[in-house]
Amino acid sequence: MSFVVNDTLHRAGIALRSKILGEERVRRALESEDDLIEYHHLLGHECAYAQVWSRAGLTPKTRSLVAFAMLAALTPRGETLKVHIRGAVRNGATRAEVRQVLATISFYLGAGIGTDAIKSAREEFAAMEHESMPVSATASAVDDTRIEAVDTVAKRGKVMRERLFGVETPAVVDDGDAGFAYEGLKTDYYFGVLWSDDALPPALRVLVVIGILCASNRLAQLKVYLRAAQRLGCNHGEIKEVFLTACIYCGAPACEDGLAAAREIFPA
């Protein structure tokens, strides 16, 4: 028997959870409910779905992609990540958008977490295909090596980096130092390749990155990307919605730290 505080919210939460994740998945979860998960379902139904997912401050697809990124930071092989990859697709995310979130996870959280998150996504896409669930685009094999001119990528990365951070890309002398190598990686690959892929527009990608940084407790970089979000035209309301989502998927301290950082950057 579920723990119910507010019956109206409880019913609304189950209904919205079923819409986002699918009625069958929610039915199975409720059938296996026991005393250990009772409070978890209270948080899920009355707080997460009835009071967070129901809000209009982010589109359902955007909130799905942000939640997916947060969960990848915390549990890249967890069942909850798979659930929210499915939820993102049900909320209208394309395979190309999911692919870009996975790429962003690899770049910002590293190869190990990226590999695990990709495995989870492959398994969930296979399950959706087995169930004949409509997905916007099917997998495509990489048949050809794609080659771009180094100078083109570097120029594009410099422009994107300056757009995001509002300062010129620093000129660094190639002295073989690790710092020089890092600056080159950032300009060419983070910004010249990843951020310049229009399958995930910069204003959406920055919200995904903020979710990743919030989940992984990277507060210094979080402030850097909050300023980038401001430059890209994201408003304070959208940012607060990201951190409200973090309350559910990353915990209350992450939400509070994020809101405190946002207050320093965005006008009241």
Side-chain angles (χ1 to χ4, degrees):
M1 181 71 178
S2 295
F3 185 179
V4 177
V5 173
N6 182 315
D7 188 59
T8 300
L9 290 177
H10 185 79
R11 292 176 184 275
I14 289 178
L16 187 51
R17 183 186 179 196
S18 298
K19 180 180 178 181
I20 293 172
L21 304 182
E23 291 184 3
E24 177 61 21
R25 186 174 290 265
V26 175
R27 183 189 63 78
R28 292 199 306 267
L30 293 175
E31 284 180 351
S32 63
E33 188 175 63
D34 60 16
D35 59 322
L36 297 180
I37 204 168
E38 196 175 37
Y39 277 86
H40 181 80
H41 278 174
L42 176 69
L43 173 70
H45 297 144
E46 297 191 28
C47 301
Y49 288 99
Q51 298 189 68
V52 175
W53 280 91
S54 64
R55 294 173 62 84
L58 294 175
T59 66
K61 183 177 81 171
T62 297
R63 202 181 297 273
S64 272
L65 293 175
V66 169
F68 155 25
M70 290 174 175
L71 288 163
L74 297 168
T75 56
R77 290 294 285 150
E79 183 64 22
T80 306
L81 173 60
K82 294 180 184 180
V83 166
H84 282 278
I85 290 170
R86 175 181 293 250
V89 171
R90 289 179 65 93
N91 275 330
T94 65
R95 185 184 177 94
E97 288 169 328
V98 170
R99 175 174 175 255
Q100 283 300 310
V101 174
L102 290 169
T104 306
I105 288 162
S106 290
F107 274 69
Y108 282 85
L109 293 177
I113 290 177
T115 298
D116 283 349
I118 290 165
K119 287 179 181 177
S120 294
R122 282 176 173 157
E123 290 168 4
E124 195 57 30
F125 270 101
M128 289 187 283
E129 183 178 354
H130 179 72
E131 297 166 19
S132 300
M133 178 179 162
V135 179
S136 63
T138 57
S140 58
V142 180
D143 296 324
D144 302 307
T145 299
R146 294 183 296 170
I147 300 175
E148 286 199 80
V150 174
D151 290 347
T152 299
V153 171
K155 182 178 179 180
R156 193 168 62 216
K158 185 173 183 291
V159 170
M160 178 61 74
R161 192 171 174 180
E162 291 170 6
R163 178 185 175 191
L164 290 173
F165 306 122
V167 294
E168 287 192 22
T169 303
V172 183
V173 177
D174 185 359
D175 57 1
D177 183 71
F180 172 83
Y182 174 61
E183 292 298 334
L185 286 170
K186 283 204 300 185
T187 298
D188 294 356
Y189 292 92
Y190 282 71
F191 304 111
V193 176
L194 180 71
W195 274 86
S196 297
D197 193 314
D198 60 9
L200 200 66
L204 177 52
R205 195 184 300 272
V206 78
L207 297 180
V208 167
V209 171
I210 286 169
I212 289 169
L213 296 172
C214 179
S216 53
N217 197 31
R218 312 286 175 81
L219 292 179
Q221 283 294 297
L222 178 61
K223 292 179 182 180
V224 170
Y225 280 88
L226 284 170
R227 293 187 182 93
Q230 189 178 46
R231 291 187 189 95
L232 290 170
C234 298
N235 62 55
H236 197 189
E238 291 173 314
I239 298 300
K240 288 191 289 186
E241 290 295 333
V242 169
F243 294 130
L244 181 61
T245 305
C247 177
I248 302 300
Y249 297 103
C250 309
C255 174
E256 292 179 16
D257 287 347
L259 289 172
R263 288 189 203 104
E264 294 181 19
I265 294 160
F266 284 82

